[in-house]
Amino acid sequence: MRADARRNHERLLTEARGTFAAQGADASLEEIARRAGVGIGTLYRHFPTRAELLNAVFQEALAELLRRSTELAETEEPCRALVEWLRALIAHAGEYRGLAHALMSASYDRSSALAGCSEPLRAAGERLLGRAREAGQVRDDVSIGDLMQLTNAIALAAEQCPEDRALADRLLALTLRGIKD
């Protein structure tokens, strides 16, 4: 990538992070391009779809979630590790209005650019879930796909009731009662 193209790419990512945080995952792409000081065509050359821009924006958070799953996989309490990781997923999905919905949709569409976020998370979660199953702490019929959909649904529900800060934890607690062996 040429130096000017690399600068444009970085400015677009910086502005997208800020705009998505302030306005949600459905924020105007034209606004992001304008704030980055480029035209909408430049944004689309770097990120042909909204999902590809979202995917690029969330790579840092994805790396942190994957790093955290690796740390948790080493702990003595596999079920607690899984729960802590699910909490981290809910927190991530709740960072940007509309992200939980986008992630839920991407889990069914393997061609989506956001599937690039979903697949590594699914693999990391499967390792944690497998450890909890082996320890006899989680039912055998629980799948990581179901847990990830539930965490996104919890984040989406919490997004709809921002005044109830404890809602996500309560919903996760209800979910966890259902998965334990």
Side-chain angles (χ1 to χ4, degrees):
M1 197 181 289
R2 292 185 341 232
D4 61 333
R6 192 171 40 256
R7 282 191 303 273
N8 287 343
H9 184 88
E10 288 307 312
R11 280 199 317 264
L12 284 164
L13 283 175
T14 298
E15 292 305 326
R17 281 185 196 99
T19 304
F20 288 151
Q23 300 174 18
D26 290 332
S28 165
L29 297 182
E30 289 82 5
E31 174 74 9
I32 291 168
R34 186 187 63 71
R35 287 180 180 203
V38 301
I40 191 67
T42 299
L43 182 144
Y44 281 118
R45 272 191 300 282
H46 287 277
F47 308 101
T49 66
R50 176 181 299 275
E52 288 182 52
L53 179 57
L54 284 167
N55 184 43
V57 164
F58 301 130
Q59 287 305 303
E60 192 174 302
L62 172 65
E64 175 58 25
L65 286 166
L66 294 174
R67 184 195 62 72
R68 187 68 183 128
S69 74
T70 301
E71 286 175 4
L72 289 167
E74 303 299 320
T75 64
E76 295 291 320
E77 300 176 52
C79 191
R80 180 181 237 170
L82 176 63
V83 170
E84 191 172 325
W85 191 73
L86 292 173
R87 273 199 178 91
L89 279 181
I90 291 168
H92 166 62
E95 285 180 28
Y96 299 93
R97 229 175 33 257
L99 177 58
H101 182 267
L103 290 171
M104 288 177 85
S105 297
S107 70
Y108 291 112
D109 181 5
R110 298 288 184 245
S111 67
S112 167
L114 279 175
C117 287
S118 181
E119 292 305 317
L121 288 175
R122 183 178 298 271
E126 187 60 53
R127 283 189 298 276
L128 294 170
L129 176 59
R131 287 187 67 231
R133 266 196 216 114
E134 288 170 15
Q137 298 173 328
V138 173
R139 295 183 356 213
D140 286 339
D141 63 339
V142 174
S143 76
I144 194 59
D146 289 348
L147 288 178
M148 289 179 72
Q149 285 292 77
L150 284 168
T151 58
N152 285 323
I154 290 168
L156 187 58
E159 179 181 298
Q160 301 304 309
C161 298
E163 68 282 352
D164 186 351
R165 296 189 185 276
L167 179 60
D169 278 337
R170 285 196 320 273
L171 293 175
L172 181 60
L174 286 170
T175 300
L176 295 174
R177 286 186 201 120
I179 69 167
K180 289 190 177 178
D181 205 13

